[in-house]
Amino acid sequence: MNQKSSLLFMVMVMFVAGLAFGQDQPAETPKYGWQKSMVGGLNLTQTSFDNWKQGGENSYAWQVNLNFNFTNDQAKTNWANSGKLTYGSTKTGDQQMRKSVDEIKLESVFTYKLGVLINPFVAVTGETQFAPGYNYGATPKTQVSAFMDPGYIRESAGIGIKPNETIKTRLGVSLKQTVTSDFPQPYADDPKTVKIEKFKNEVGAESVTDLNWKLAQNTLLTSKLELFSTLKALNTTDVNWDNILTTKISKYFNVNFNFKLFYDRDISKMRQIKQAFALGIVYTFL
């Protein structure tokens, strides 16, 4: 499946799912005021060998994550603030501890309700990482990123559609800033110029679709598809598709699978994929 077909497939899946849920679910009585949720998790894995003739290396890994959502819903407005914080590392054999996952993502969306299905919004999104990132394929390892190096900020305004509590989508004009310091390449620097640019501002269009699908009483699929395009060509559209399938097996334990597809032609001409499967402890703070 080529890049164009993949993009069209993802958009079609999200919208078809939304239409299906919109037809099946009855309207619910709105609850006005602040609605708060905060869920944290800790995942641990450990493998140890002693005189194991079939071979293997000792290893252990850990990952912590925190997801929160603070939403103030009123009769005419809705202000939704959400965040995703994730960090983890792993150690295999005699290797030093290496970072495995690292993400900071914050989003704030203010919507004015016109009393119809389609409503105007303004939004701002920020994304970066906690700690330095390294290329372990080089000897010695070389640092390739750091906190806010790069950092991404997007501002957008347009119209949003929320047919039900399962899916919502928005489309609008957008500004995207890429901020760097010590690692401008390949994130912000323009290779066509002699000067090294550490800041890049792009103007374009943005589409964001959120899906929260309760597959079973203890299983939830959350999916977020973000598209940003400068409208120069289809294959220059930035894609960030983050999916988490979570199954709760008891009050404090769950199993989750994360699949993330990322494409930014300025960074790499190939799509990037991250997959993670974990069994861990979960705690609901709010």
Side-chain angles (χ1 to χ4, degrees):
M1 183 179 291
N2 58 31
Q3 184 67 27
K4 296 179 181 178
S5 300
S6 298
L7 290 174
L8 291 174
F9 175 75
M10 287 187 290
V11 173
M12 289 177 62
V13 169
M14 304 295 281
F15 276 94
V16 169
L19 292 175
F21 294 128
Q23 293 173 354
D24 294 340
Q25 295 187 353
E28 297 181 356
T29 302
K31 298 178 181 178
Y32 295 128
W34 280 101
Q35 299 172 30
K36 307 172 186 176
S37 67
M38 181 180 292
V39 180
L42 170 64
N43 301 317
L44 300 170
T45 61
Q46 189 264 339
T47 304
S48 179
F49 298 92
D50 183 17
N51 197 30
W52 189 255
K53 302 303 181 184
Q54 297 178 12
E57 283 191 294
N58 298 338
S59 66
Y60 66 90
W62 61 271
Q63 175 183 330
V64 293
N65 57 74
L66 180 68
N67 294 280
F68 61 86
N69 194 318
F70 298 146
T71 300
N72 187 3
D73 191 37
Q74 299 295 334
K76 285 294 183 182
T77 61
N78 180 281
W79 185 25
N81 305 275
S82 61
K84 177 184 179 183
L85 311 176
T86 304
Y87 188 83
S89 62
T90 182
K91 177 177 173 59
T92 302
D94 296 330
Q95 294 178 343
Q96 295 181 341
M97 187 69 77
R98 296 180 174 184
K99 183 173 71 173
S100 56
V101 294
D102 188 357
E103 182 177 9
I104 303 173
K105 187 162 190 175
L106 305 173
E107 181 184 75
S108 182
V109 182
F110 183 84
T111 302
Y112 184 80
K113 302 178 183 178
L114 295 176
V116 294
L117 186 63
I118 301 176
N119 298 297
F121 77 91
V122 292
V124 59
T125 303
E127 188 171 2
T128 185
Q129 60 193 41
F130 286 101
Y134 294 91
N135 176 13
Y136 293 104
T139 305
K141 66 179 183 181
T142 55
Q143 186 176 347
V144 294
S145 61
F147 175 73
M148 288 303 292
D149 195 2
Y152 301 98
I153 302 170
R154 294 200 317 269
E155 306 89 11
S156 60
I159 56 173
I161 304 174
K162 186 179 180 182
N164 50 59
E165 296 300 321
T166 301
I167 191 169
K168 59 182 178 181
T169 186
R170 64 179 193 264
L171 175 68
V173 296
S174 179
L175 298 174
K176 178 182 178 181
Q177 295 86 41
T178 302
V179 182
T180 66
S181 178
D182 296 329
F183 309 102
Q185 298 175 339
Y187 307 106
D189 181 50
D190 185 352
K192 298 178 182 178
T193 65
V194 177
K195 181 183 177 182
I196 302 298
E197 292 88 2
K198 296 185 177 182
F199 177 84
K200 180 169 66 176
N201 186 53
E202 299 173 279
V203 181
E206 176 192 77
S207 170
V208 179
T209 301
D210 291 281
L211 176 70
N212 287 278
W213 184 8
K214 194 172 185 178
L215 299 173
Q217 188 64 31
N218 64 337
T219 303
L220 177 67
L221 171 64
T222 59
S223 180
K224 190 180 193 71
L225 174 61
E226 298 173 284
L227 305 174
F228 174 83
S229 175
T230 56
L231 305 178
K232 295 179 180 178
L234 184 59
N235 64 357
T236 61
T237 301
D238 298 343
V239 180
N240 192 348
W241 193 25
D242 195 5
N243 305 272
I244 302 176
L245 179 65
T246 303
T247 298
K248 192 172 184 177
I249 56 178
S250 70
K251 183 177 181 180
Y252 295 111
F253 292 92
N254 67 10
V255 177
N256 62 75
F257 174 71
N258 181 209
F259 174 85
K260 185 171 184 177
L261 184 149
F262 181 80
Y263 176 77
D264 186 336
R265 193 175 178 83
D266 294 335
I267 299 175
S268 172
K269 294 182 179 179
M270 303 292 291
R271 89 285 185 270
Q272 303 175 55
I273 289 179
K274 182 184 74 174
Q275 300 180 61
F277 179 81
L279 167 65
I281 304 170
V282 62
Y283 185 78
T284 302
F285 296 93
L286 297 173

